[in-house]
Amino acid sequence: RRQRQMCIRDSHTLISQCRKDFPILKREVNGYPLAYLDNAATTQKPKSVIDAITNFYENHNSNVSRGVYTLAEEATEIYESGRDAVANFIGAEDSGTIIFTSGTTESINLVASAWVQKNLKKGDRIILTEMEHHSNIVPWQLAAKSYGIELVYWPVTPEGRLDLALLEELLTNSVKLLAFTMVSNVLGSINPVEQITKIAHSHGVPVLVDSAQAVSRMSIKVSEWDCDFLAFSGHKVYGPTGIGVLYAKKERLEEMMPFQGGGGMISHVEKQSSTWAVPPQKFEAGTPPVAQVPGLKAALEYLEQYGIKEIERHDNELTEHALNQLTEFPDLELYGPSEIQNRTGVVSFNLQNVHSHDVAQVLDESGIALRAGHHCTQVLHERLGVPATVRMSFGIYNDPSEIDRMFSALDQARAIFLH
Ligand code: PLP
């Protein structure tokens, strides 16, 4: 027990010192230390990730799965060991179920094209939620137009949650897929993936989980949860841009047509037709994001040294600190749950009578980077009844004093716009 307590104390200390691992956080913005509170958009990169990419280019650069010379074999080994690391990180039993893509957006487009094409027909329905990012709406709209499919929306409650009882009503016989986000990139709400998957499966409906906002904040267990598809982006988990992941159950992979044609995804090509490589290569046409893979692997290792429990604890502490202050100001409207349970460090609000872009601009003058706008969730903003919101989103390197700075800088916005 003493050893465990020591372990917990060590990871507390480690995470409080992690800021020094991120070179960009040493810079100043407008004469102030950078307070980076836009982690839902993208995260900053630790030196170990930057080094892993540089090391690949300096020492191992080659294309993968093609050459038989030493460099090509090294590059292929690095690439495949990245696939193993991802499988391990998200609890997938078989690394053959991990497809590298360019990001969450491409992962979802892959399913909306390659899986829908073979498995859905005119009159079928797909359920989405009102809290989805555009990348989990528009690909389905494109598929809906091509195949005569209907999109049905699972409404968001006034508290910013999903009502499971309503899902039961929506799961009619014509529903063939449920695609939903694990964490809302505006409301911060966490949706219970395992429970939702169980309900959908009891109606014979597969699920796709958009975990773009979840992988950096909480533990993911695809095999245990039994979800059919899961997508995320490397750049939101402290890894590089240009790489993402699609996890798909083996049987779903077998149901899919190729997504794109090209080198690497074929078994044999003739003048008029071709046969396909086995998954995951079947879905990785062309040169994949080779150098990004060791970067992503280094990012996952970086998170593992703290442990996901400690990361969650830190995220909860920051969220609570922000919510406590936010609810003190009568002129600040919070969008999303005000209680900490099943909620993460994505906190959106508006300052009454001031446009969110004006707020963000004033905050930037104090070195505070956060996002204003619709955050690629116009359906959700329509539901919230506002065109735009200000969003703080926390990462492992943030500390409560940066949130305090944000609230002090808001006073300046009040002084400028509401004098
Ligand atoms: N899904 C959610 C919930 C997101 O927050 C985002 C990005 O903000 C995406 C999908 C799209 O991610 P990417 O642009 O990396 O493909």
Side-chain angles (χ1 to χ4, degrees), residues 90 99 101 103-111 135-136 140 180-182 207-215 220 222 227-234 236-237 244-248:
I90 64 170
I99 300 162
T101 63
T104 310
T105 302
E106 192 180 51
S107 299
I108 297 173
N109 273 279
L110 197 163
V111 181
S135 63
N136 201 22
W140 307 114
F180 67 100
T181 192
M182 182 166 170
V207 301
L208 178 141
V209 182
D210 173 354
S211 65
Q213 294 297 340
V215 180
I220 308 284
V222 285
C227 51
D228 297 82
F229 303 101
L230 181 132
F232 72 94
S233 301
K236 291 187 200 280
V237 294
V245 168
L246 174 67
Y247 159 81

Side-chain angles (χ1 to χ4, degrees), residues 23 58 121 173 179 182 200 204 249 304 315:
E58 286 185 351
K121 56 180 190 326
N173 283 344
M182 182 166 170
K249 267 185 189 171
E304 269 164 353
D315 186 67

Side-chain angles (χ1 to χ4, degrees), residues 28 52 60 81 103 113 123 154 163 175 195 220 324 327 341 351 374 419:
E28 291 192 343
H60 307 286
S81 84
S113 166
W154 183 4
D163 178 350
V175 174
Q195 241 179 314
I220 308 284
N324 284 345
T327 44
Q341 285 76 29
L351 173 59
H374 56 62
H419 44 78

Side-chain angles (χ1 to χ4, degrees), residues 39-42 101-108 131-136 180-186 210-214 231-236 241-244 371 375-377 391:
N39 294 280
T42 197
T101 63
S102 65
T104 310
T105 302
E106 192 180 51
S107 299
I108 297 173
M131 63 169 84
E132 296 313 310
H133 188 279
H134 293 164
S135 63
N136 201 22
F180 67 100
T181 192
M182 182 166 170
V183 169
S184 162
N185 69 317
V186 172
D210 173 354
S211 65
Q213 294 297 340
F232 72 94
S233 301
H235 72 100
K236 291 187 200 280
T241 53
I243 185 165
R371 181 67 72 89
H375 319 296
C376 299
T377 55
R391 179 184 73 184

Side-chain angles (χ1 to χ4, degrees), residues 18 25 57 64 83 90 94 113 161-162 203 240 293 296 325 358-359:
C18 79
L25 298 179
Y57 281 127
V64 290
R83 204 191 297 280
I90 64 170
D94 177 356
S113 166
R161 304 276 189 198
L162 295 172
H203 292 259
V293 167
L296 176 58
Q325 296 195 61
D358 292 335
V359 173

